[in-house]
Amino acid sequence: MRIDLYSDKVFTPNKLALIKTAIVLNGSDFNPPHVGLLLNNMYFSSTANGLKINVPFEHIFNAFKRRKHKVIVASTNINIDLPLALEIFKQHNFLGVNYSCYKPVKVCFEKSLNTLFDATYVYQLLPILINQDILLDFHHHGFNVEGHKKSIVLPRYSEKEILNCIDKERFHFDRNAEISVH
């Protein structure tokens, strides 16, 4: 999927008030991207090391910047109910073969719209949301947008690449935890 990033759509925390619900993609190379949900300035995410539920997005965004992650915030016109999001994310707290970071985000949209999306990966879901006039705009951070616009293509990736990424994150977390104990 190709996404056009415009120089006037660089994300800053002061734009949070304009975004009710968004899909947040982040990572150093987006292969695969980490997928989270932005809901009324609060962030929801299933990670390899646990859940991030109802965390102020400004805190998360600052962490993305420190890690030099690229970020795409895909704003939508859907209102996802907070209790629904909490319930769904709590059901998807362990990543693995059946659950990726993408799954609870997709389920939140499906339950809110009372529909099922034939989209195994986020790069399949975004075009569906565009075609249904649900996805409104892309804001971004960390991309070099010289001039007026830059187009990027979200890479296609497999379930195996997702599982490798989850394992790598778990290993990194476990190793850092072990180092800090000594």
Side-chain angles (χ1 to χ4, degrees), residues 19 21-25 72-76 126 135-139:
I19 301 171
T21 304
I23 297 172
V24 179
L25 308 174
I72 293 178
V73 178
S75 62
T76 72
L126 294 177
L135 200 147
L136 301 174
D137 210 352
F138 292 103
H139 297 271

Side-chain angles (χ1 to χ4, degrees), residues 23-25 32-37 43-47 88-89 92 95-96 98-110 116-129 154 157 162 166:
I23 297 172
V24 179
L25 308 174
H34 182 73
V35 183
L37 178 68
Y43 185 70
F44 296 77
S45 174
S46 288
T47 73
I88 290 168
F89 273 87
H92 295 88
L95 300 186
N98 295 320
Y99 300 118
S100 70
C101 58
Y102 162 69
K103 180 86 178 220
V105 174
K106 177 186 174 199
V107 172
C108 282
F109 279 88
E110 288 176 334
L116 295 176
F117 293 114
D118 185 21
T120 306
Y121 305 104
V122 74
Y123 64 78
Q124 296 168 325
L125 179 65
L126 294 177
I128 293 170
L129 297 179
L154 284 182
Y157 46 86
I162 292 170
I166 292 169

Side-chain angles (χ1 to χ4, degrees), residues 28-181:
S28 56
D29 65 0
F30 274 61
N31 196 16
H34 182 73
V35 183
L37 178 68
L38 176 59
L39 185 58
N40 297 320
N41 302 336
M42 303 306 273
Y43 185 70
F44 296 77
S45 174
S46 288
T47 73
N49 307 309
L51 289 174
K52 289 182 174 63
I53 296 180
N54 226 10
V55 179
F57 187 67
E58 195 165 347
H59 296 271
I60 297 297
F61 183 66
N62 288 334
F64 292 158
K65 289 191 309 188
R66 275 192 312 276
R67 294 181 191 135
K68 298 189 183 335
H69 278 202
K70 295 176 180 160
V71 181
I72 293 178
V73 178
S75 62
T76 72
N77 61 8
I78 298 302
N79 290 321
I80 295 174
D81 187 49
L82 177 62
L84 175 69
L86 291 169
E87 175 188 329
I88 290 168
F89 273 87
K90 286 178 182 176
Q91 293 172 5
H92 295 88
N93 63 341
F94 295 105
L95 300 186
V97 174
N98 295 320
Y99 300 118
S100 70
C101 58
Y102 162 69
K103 180 86 178 220
V105 174
K106 177 186 174 199
V107 172
C108 282
F109 279 88
E110 288 176 334
K111 297 266 186 190
S112 294
L113 295 166
N114 198 28
T115 190
L116 295 176
F117 293 114
D118 185 21
T120 306
Y121 305 104
V122 74
Y123 64 78
Q124 296 168 325
L125 179 65
L126 294 177
I128 293 170
L129 297 179
I130 290 170
N131 289 338
Q132 293 185 9
D133 293 324
I134 294 168
L135 200 147
L136 301 174
D137 210 352
F138 292 103
H139 297 271
H140 59 89
H141 173 79
F143 292 91
N144 184 12
V145 180
E146 293 182 22
H148 183 62
K149 101 177 173 181
K150 175 182 184 169
S151 293
I152 65 158
V153 176
L154 284 182
R156 294 182 179 264
Y157 46 86
S158 67
E159 184 177 305
K160 183 178 181 194
E161 290 168 301
I162 292 170
L163 292 174
N164 287 341
C165 186
I166 292 169
D167 287 343
K168 183 176 133 185
E169 286 299 313
R170 280 196 182 123
F171 175 77
H172 179 72
F173 178 78
D174 290 344
R175 184 166 182 221
N176 286 344
E178 185 178 299
I179 290 169
S180 67
V181 170

